[in-house]
Amino acid sequence: MAAAEAKELQQLPLVLGDKKYDNVTRDIIAPVETFPKKLWWIAFSVALTVFGVHMTAIAVVVGTGLGLLGINNPVGWGTFIINFVFWIGIGHAGTLISAVLYVFRQQWRTAINRSAEAMTIFAVACAGIFPNIHVGRLWFIFWAMPYPNERGVLWPNFRSPLVWDVFAISTYLTISLVFWYAGLVPDFASIRDRIKESDAVQKIRKSVYSVLSLGWVGSTRAWAHYEAMAMILAGLSFPLVLSVHSIVSFDFATSVIPGWHTTIFPPYFVIGAIFSGFGMVLTLLIIMREVFHFQDYITIKHLENMAKVTMLTGSLVGLAYSTEFFMAWYSGSPFEGFAFINRMFGPYWWAYWIMVSCNVITPQLFWFKSIRTNPTLLWIISIFVNIGMWFERYVIVVTSLHRDYLPSSWDMYIMTNWDFAILIGSFGMFFTLFLLFVRVFPAIAIAEIKMVMKSPGAKGFGH
Amino acid sequence: MSARTQVYGMIAEFESPGALLSAAEKMRDAGYTTFDCHSPFPIHGMDTAMGLKRSIVGYVAGICGLAGGSFGLALQWWTSVVDYPLVISGKPFFSYQAFVPVTFALTVLCAAIGVVIAMLVTNGLPRLFHGWFYSSRFTRFSNDGFFVSVEVGDKRYDPVKTKAFLESIGGTHVEVVQGE
């Protein structure tokens, strides 16, 4: 009885197959050491082309003016703000995996944290473009930074959430980059030490990875400082990730627009961000594990855990939607009440119902283990999550603005081709960066995987 | 050429993390001080086995965070109260509640950059050269090799005795690392 119970309680191993440390290094570095095949080149050229469209469209819009876009009065915030919030949100899952799960000692994070962090950085980079081009005069964006200037006694208004955003997002990007790079150093050393300097190309690779690995020799003294640093960085990123999307939500919540002016916004935005981020992690990793044969490292168990997080956060997002409705009714404010009825049944009813069905209903399928453990179905549902979360931001931004207090100001928001080009283009940028990442950097944290696997040869040793 | 050859120390290979851990304890007990262990991943309990002190990087993070946060708050106070006082929505000039996000962001930013710099400085990184790189066997430390290294500067270092000792505690492929 006791033995059977103990066996049942024993968890599935995090790394499948009877692997030695050498196999782990070999398997994970393989995509970095081999020349990309046709599939990668096709994906990369498509992504790069779309990225080119992105940059061209941005250049035209910045050069011509914001009149090319669908924004008008009263809908002064359009796709740029929608995409900004969307991409920032995507990033949150990476930090959650790398920092929050680290602090809670969740060992299953080791297989997915590297690529999730990469996703964070690329998503925040995509997001960072949008507020800059949204201001219209990109060349004055540095005015948001506080510095003694030649314009007289003039400082940014620190009571403005838009200035908070500047600090929150740039801090978030910097810390994510630093955390990611610090984690990569030992793995760069693994790549460096495997290179045989047989020809000129290999010599260049050796120099590049030597510099990137900073001369790491894996000494215990170094690991001691390194682990202390990783714990502190995780501890710092934990509150940071919660603050970043809270501050993004303040951009909305501190205004007096019906549908925006609510105290639920910070937690609602943070949960939505984690939800959308896990959706994107699933989208990326399910493809990556197939293409690079990482099934033994990113196991079904990992996918299932992510599906569970997605289901939980999706349900919380649903709870937030209904709380908003309750508060709109309970507040007794006719403007609030109108804003929410209008969301459901107004001219943008379709966007609202796409949002609800993708974000609240589809994740409920994860109650079934057969769906949670099926990579194909998981991938399809993750796409729904991505779509749903984009529409959530669309609903929040557009439906609240298009009906102003004065009915004479009412207007509709219609996206132009430039809006679409920049929206789709940002995905090109994201995938270009991600495709480069998986070929140049180890996509799974090698040293951390070795920590959580059962150590071969040593009896009774392990974590 | 041989006149310029320099000896950096001695390295020995061990089979597993567990073997490295017990080797570290024996090295510590034998009185070696400038020895180190090299492994592809951090091994728990290794710092006590080697007799290391707790890392100081946490204190650096704390100090940098405090400095960053204080600077952030002082910057907002000075610009909003002293240099450029402006009434916004009838709020007080020093409306500290609104100053929390920027203060927090700068605290975290400075603490994080501080802790990374502290890690690099305490570990002597980045470095372009390390004596152990002369050993071709040593490159396995980043894959599946577990090594103990003794620097030539250790007061107990002796070409014969140290080699014998490393072998007696289970080390294999003991080699003297030297290069130009």
Side-chain angles (χ1 to χ4, degrees):
Chain A
M1 175 67 196
E5 235 170 60
K7 198 170 173 85
E8 201 168 323
L9 282 172
Q10 207 171 40
Q11 293 196 326
L12 285 164
L14 289 168
V15 179
L16 300 179
D18 196 16
K19 293 238 179 347
K20 294 200 163 49
Y21 294 132
D22 185 44
N23 301 113
V24 177
T25 319
R26 231 175 259 277
D27 290 350
I28 296 173
I29 296 182
V32 180
E33 288 182 335
T34 48
F35 197 72
K37 292 199 191 68
K38 212 158 99 188
L39 185 67
W40 185 89
W41 285 110
I42 294 170
F44 185 69
S45 15
V46 172
L48 196 65
T49 312
V50 179
F51 185 21
V53 170
H54 188 45
M55 286 296 138
T56 316
I58 286 174
V60 174
V61 168
V62 169
T64 317
L66 296 182
L68 292 177
L69 305 173
I71 48 173
N72 54 33
N73 250 329
V75 190
W77 283 8
T79 29
F80 285 3
I81 299 298
I82 298 167
N83 293 347
F84 163 67
V85 182
F86 173 76
W87 281 117
I88 284 283
I90 297 282
H92 278 53
T95 319
L96 188 95
I97 291 166
S98 65
V100 180
L101 298 186
Y102 185 90
V103 173
F104 290 135
R105 299 277 180 218
Q106 292 293 307
Q107 297 192 329
W108 61 276
R109 63 176 272 289
T110 49
I112 53 173
N113 69 339
R114 171 70 42 73
S115 26
E117 283 170 41
M119 176 194 81
T120 294
I121 289 155
F122 305 148
V124 175
C126 288
I129 289 181
F130 286 104
N132 288 290
I133 54 177
H134 171 80
V135 299
R137 297 184 196 176
L138 178 62
W139 49 97
F140 287 138
I141 194 71
F142 64 95
W143 286 5
M145 295 308 284
Y147 67 101
N149 53 64
E150 78 290 358
R151 302 186 296 276
V153 189
L154 203 58
W155 293 94
N157 172 19
F158 285 107
R159 298 176 191 88
S160 161
L162 303 177
V163 172
W164 304 345
D165 251 359
V166 173
F167 282 85
I169 305 294
S170 39
T171 300
Y172 185 44
L173 181 62
T174 312
I175 291 193
S176 304
L177 258 176
V178 163
F179 200 2
W180 188 53
Y181 180 69
L184 275 161
V185 167
D187 291 356
F188 281 141
S190 294
I191 301 181
R192 171 197 70 194
D193 293 338
R194 282 175 56 82
I195 298 170
K196 310 254 181 308
E197 291 173 275
S198 48
D199 54 30
V201 176
Q202 296 304 323
K203 281 204 172 85
I204 294 169
R205 284 189 67 220
K206 181 100 176 174
S207 319
V208 169
Y209 286 111
S210 296
V211 170
L212 285 174
S213 59
L214 306 176
W216 182 259
V217 289
S219 83
T220 299
R221 287 166 214 278
W223 278 122
H225 296 303
Y226 180 89
E227 283 211 290
M229 174 210 67
M231 194 61 192
I232 288 162
L233 278 181
L236 289 168
S237 305
F238 190 159
L240 181 71
V241 69
L242 302 182
S243 83
V244 170
H245 228 57
S246 298
I247 291 172
V248 169
S249 83
F250 292 159
D251 296 344
F252 298 86
T254 57
S255 69
V256 283
I257 309 279
W260 289 5
H261 191 64
T262 59
T263 47
I264 200 182
F265 257 38
Y268 162 33
F269 267 50
V270 171
I271 284 296
I274 293 166
F275 175 64
S276 69
F278 268 90
M280 189 58 97
V281 173
L282 282 170
T283 310
L284 294 172
L285 292 196
I286 290 172
I287 299 179
M288 191 176 90
R289 76 192 278 275
E290 290 297 325
V291 174
F292 292 146
H293 312 295
F294 285 160
Q295 286 96 334
D296 285 346
Y297 301 98
I298 303 170
T299 63
I300 294 291
K301 183 189 169 180
H302 291 97
L303 298 182
E304 194 186 348
N305 281 354
M306 287 191 272
K308 285 178 183 167
V309 177
T310 312
M311 185 181 76
L312 173 72
T313 47
S315 308
L316 283 169
V317 165
L319 182 66
Y321 294 161
S322 36
T323 310
E324 275 191 317
F325 269 84
F326 173 76
M327 289 314 295
W329 167 74
Y330 192 67
S331 70
S333 158
F335 291 102
E336 284 287 334
F338 171 76
F340 282 92
I341 297 294
N342 184 51
R343 270 188 195 178
M344 258 186 179
F345 304 113
Y348 292 103
W349 62 271
W350 48 273
Y352 181 82
W353 292 108
I354 292 174
M355 167 186 105
V356 169
S357 37
C358 291
N359 291 349
V360 186
I361 298 167
T362 38
Q364 301 308 321
L365 292 169
F366 290 152
W367 287 102
F368 302 101
K369 196 180 170 82
S370 53
I371 296 176
R372 281 203 307 268
T373 52
N374 182 330
T376 318
L377 288 175
L378 264 176
W379 192 80
I380 294 168
I381 294 173
S382 80
I383 297 293
F384 279 111
V385 171
N386 292 329
I387 295 172
M389 282 311 289
W390 190 85
F391 272 98
E392 182 194 295
R393 280 62 178 251
Y394 182 88
V395 166
I396 291 171
V397 170
V398 175
T399 63
S400 283
L401 285 174
H402 83 129
R403 292 294 177 254
D404 208 341
Y405 287 101
L406 274 180
S408 61
S409 312
W410 289 6
D411 206 344
M412 292 295 285
Y413 174 68
I414 294 150
M415 286 164 68
T416 65
N417 287 342
W418 297 104
D419 282 303
F420 280 109
I422 293 173
L423 159 64
I424 296 162
S426 64
F427 283 88
M429 171 169 166
F430 179 75
F431 285 109
T432 304
L433 292 169
F434 199 83
L435 284 164
L436 283 174
F437 154 75
V438 295
R439 281 295 176 180
V440 182
F441 293 175
I444 294 177
I446 304 171
E448 292 189 47
I449 279 282
K450 287 177 186 166
M451 268 176 81
V452 299
M453 62 190 272
K454 201 167 152 29
S455 120
K459 289 144 219 89
F461 193 87
H463 297 277
Chain B
M1 287 304 277
S2 62
R4 287 171 57 203
T5 301
Q6 191 189 336
V7 176
Y8 292 99
M10 202 178 280
I11 59 168
E13 191 177 350
F14 290 83
E15 194 190 19
S16 66
L20 191 68
L21 195 74
S22 58
E25 282 168 347
K26 284 167 191 151
M27 291 292 287
R28 176 196 65 193
D29 295 343
Y32 285 94
T33 48
T34 56
F35 76 100
D36 215 332
C37 301
H38 306 263
S39 52
F41 52 88
I43 298 167
H44 280 232
M46 210 53 196
D47 29 6
T48 42
M50 274 179 66
L52 297 180
K53 289 201 198 82
R54 216 180 131 176
S55 174
I56 57 141
V57 296
Y59 299 105
V60 179
I63 292 163
C64 290
L66 273 176
S70 315
F71 171 76
L73 196 59
L75 171 80
Q76 294 176 86
W77 167 78
W78 187 75
T79 55
S80 320
V81 177
V82 181
D83 203 39
Y84 187 37
L86 204 61
V87 178
I88 290 164
S89 318
K91 292 187 185 93
F93 292 131
F94 187 66
S95 32
Y96 64 90
Q97 299 91 336
F99 296 162
V100 169
V102 173
T103 309
F104 173 74
L106 285 172
T107 307
V108 170
L109 182 68
C110 294
I113 292 175
V115 73
V116 172
I117 292 176
M119 186 278 284
L120 293 176
V121 171
T122 49
N123 287 341
L125 303 174
R127 65 174 152 245
L128 291 173
F129 169 77
H130 197 292
W132 307 137
F133 290 152
Y134 278 116
S135 163
S136 59
R137 195 165 186 90
F138 183 74
T139 56
R140 287 185 45 216
F141 88 85
S142 62
N143 180 13
D144 59 353
F146 300 88
F147 294 89
V148 166
S149 65
V150 190
E151 281 176 29
V152 75
D154 193 295
K155 57 184 183 299
R156 288 187 62 90
Y157 182 88
D158 180 281
V160 184
K161 281 186 198 153
T162 305
K163 186 169 196 282
F165 181 72
L166 283 170
E167 276 166 354
S168 74
I169 61 173
T172 52
H173 303 101
V174 182
E175 79 178 275
V176 175
V177 180
Q178 52 191 357
E180 281 160 36

